[in-house]
Amino acid sequence: METKDLLKKVRKIEIKTRRLSDHIFSGEYHTSFKGRGMTFSEVRQYQFGDDIRSIDWNVTARYNEPYVKVFEEERELTMMLMVDISGSESFGSKNQFKKDIVTEIAATMAFSATTNNDKIGLILFSDEIELYIPPKKGRSHVLRIIRELIEFSPKSQKTDIAQALRFLSGTQKKKAIVFVISDFMSSDYEQTLKIAAKKHDITGIRVYDIREEKIPNIGMVDMVDAETGQTKTINTGSKSVRINYEKNYVNSVSYFKETFSKSGAGVVHTRVDESYVTKLLGYFKSR
């Protein structure tokens, strides 16, 4: 993509997603992810009504009168965007590919975090870590993230969510707000998710296409596996083929939902032709 076209596309996404984050998501995001906890602020003299559990006994003994510790909520957060850029993200049967919606969601989340003065980092993954951008603040940083989401070409077309979660656990030592954005056509990530979710606040955002749910009866069709590059001729007229196709899809979705729920992580499902705005708002309000 030429620089001029890239900048035009970045600007288009910025205008759309910034409007959403400023007017819709920033308040909901702020309410849903208030802070990592309480941090020590100062010591002051005891006042009537103070909780006796907050008395600082060392200072009290030193001055021979009661003093209490004052804490305040830690407001600054770190958001990590973990984005699947494997081959299956380039699928789309309607007007948009899954990767287009993934980019918009990631950009919206990033601008929401910026409004809250939080840091934003990015992990692009396939079955390996394709790109890591450490967390930073600011509009120019968010625009760099959007450029990478649009332009980055992965070395691999396959998916390994467990590998991405291991990398997250290894690089983010402090608690972070983590959004894993993928179609979750992968398995065997239960254990790594469980470990990562103990430290981080994780949400899986599953982006999918209507044609992934069921295959229509359209006769003999050549299908390419986006992640392996293999082409197979499929008889969609066969009832058993259609049933197995749907069964594999249902199993994949069930694994995603059950694995995230068991780990205490949140889940969002949004189809390419649906409003991800409605889905994300509903999720934030339910937290």
Side-chain angles (χ1 to χ4, degrees), residues 14-31:
E14 181 190 10
I15 291 168
K16 180 177 181 178
T17 58
R18 185 149 206 167
R19 188 174 68 246
L20 288 172
S21 64
D22 286 349
H23 298 295
I24 301 174
F25 286 111
S26 58
E28 298 297 339
Y29 165 83
H30 181 73
T31 305

Side-chain angles (χ1 to χ4, degrees), residues 228-286:
T228 65
Q230 292 182 334
T231 301
K232 288 184 179 179
T233 302
I234 306 296
N235 181 12
T236 63
S238 166
K239 188 177 180 180
S240 63
V241 167
R242 295 198 304 275
I243 288 172
N244 284 333
Y245 183 94
E246 188 175 346
K247 187 179 177 182
N248 286 334
Y249 173 79
V250 169
N251 288 342
S252 175
V253 175
S254 295
Y255 179 80
F256 163 67
K257 288 196 290 189
E258 289 170 14
T259 301
F260 270 72
S261 296
K262 280 181 190 174
S263 301
V267 296
V268 179
H269 307 263
T270 184
R271 210 168 64 198
V272 169
D273 57 330
E274 292 179 326
S275 167
Y276 63 82
V277 175
T278 305
K279 296 296 182 75
L280 289 172
L281 272 176
Y283 171 69
F284 287 153
K285 286 176 179 176
S286 71

Side-chain angles (χ1 to χ4, degrees), residues 9 38 75 89 109 112 123-124 150 158 178 181 199 206-207 211-212 214 223 249 267 271 279 287:
K9 198 163 184 179
M38 306 302 286
R75 285 288 178 186
E89 298 302 325
M109 293 295 95
S112 296
I123 298 171
L124 298 181
I150 293 170
K158 297 178 182 179
V178 181
I181 313 173
K199 183 191 292 184
R206 188 176 73 91
V207 179
R211 287 289 173 240
E212 291 170 334
K214 293 182 180 180
M223 291 189 174
Y249 173 79
V267 296
R271 210 168 64 198
K279 296 296 182 75
R287 284 179 59 97

Side-chain angles (χ1 to χ4, degrees), residues 11-204:
R11 182 62 179 152
K12 187 178 178 182
I13 289 174
E14 181 190 10
I15 291 168
K16 180 177 181 178
T17 58
R18 185 149 206 167
R19 188 174 68 246
L20 288 172
S21 64
D22 286 349
H23 298 295
I24 301 174
F25 286 111
S26 58
E28 298 297 339
Y29 165 83
H30 181 73
T31 305
S32 299
F33 308 103
K34 285 183 177 176
R36 287 192 294 267
M38 306 302 286
T39 183
F40 175 72
S41 175
E42 61 179 340
V43 174
R44 63 163 170 77
Q45 282 186 302
Y46 177 85
Q47 296 172 2
F48 179 76
D50 284 339
D51 189 339
I52 60 169
R53 290 174 296 183
S54 63
I55 291 176
D56 187 322
W57 295 106
N58 290 330
V59 178
T60 297
R62 192 181 309 144
Y63 291 101
N64 209 26
E65 58 181 314
Y67 276 77
V68 294
K69 292 177 181 177
V70 179
F71 294 85
E72 54 185 36
E73 189 178 42
E74 248 185 300
R75 285 288 178 186
E76 185 181 288
L77 301 168
T78 295
M79 176 192 284
M80 286 304 303
L81 297 168
M82 297 180 60
V83 180
D84 180 356
I85 56 170
S86 62
S88 62
E89 298 302 325
S90 296
F91 180 77
S93 62
K94 296 286 183 179
N95 295 327
Q96 283 184 301
F97 294 122
K98 285 187 284 184
K99 66 180 181 181
D100 297 329
I101 302 301
V102 165
T103 298
E104 286 189 17
I105 292 172
T108 303
M109 293 295 95
F111 279 123
S112 296
T114 297
T115 304
N116 204 44
N117 199 35
D118 295 336
K119 295 177 181 177
I120 307 103
L122 177 70
I123 298 171
L124 298 181
F125 69 92
S126 53
D127 63 342
E128 57 185 88
I129 303 305
E130 299 279 354
L131 178 70
Y132 171 58
I133 299 178
K136 277 179 64 179
K137 295 181 183 181
R139 176 178 174 269
S140 61
H141 181 66
V142 173
L143 293 179
R144 182 197 169 190
I145 286 173
I146 295 173
R147 283 197 302 272
E148 296 293 358
L149 286 165
I150 293 170
E151 194 180 37
F152 192 89
S153 296
K155 299 185 191 79
S156 174
Q157 297 298 309
K158 297 178 182 179
T159 312
D160 188 343
I161 293 170
Q163 170 75 357
L165 289 167
R166 276 192 291 271
F167 182 81
L168 171 76
S169 296
T171 53
Q172 303 306 310
K173 301 305 180 186
K174 291 185 178 179
K175 183 176 180 179
I177 306 300
V178 181
F179 291 99
V180 187
I181 313 173
S182 170
D183 53 18
F184 291 94
M185 289 188 176
S186 179
S187 58
D188 300 328
Y189 53 82
E190 182 175 359
Q191 194 56 39
T192 47
L193 177 62
K194 198 178 290 182
I195 293 167
K198 283 180 181 177
K199 183 191 292 184
H200 305 294
D201 188 334
I202 300 178
T203 300

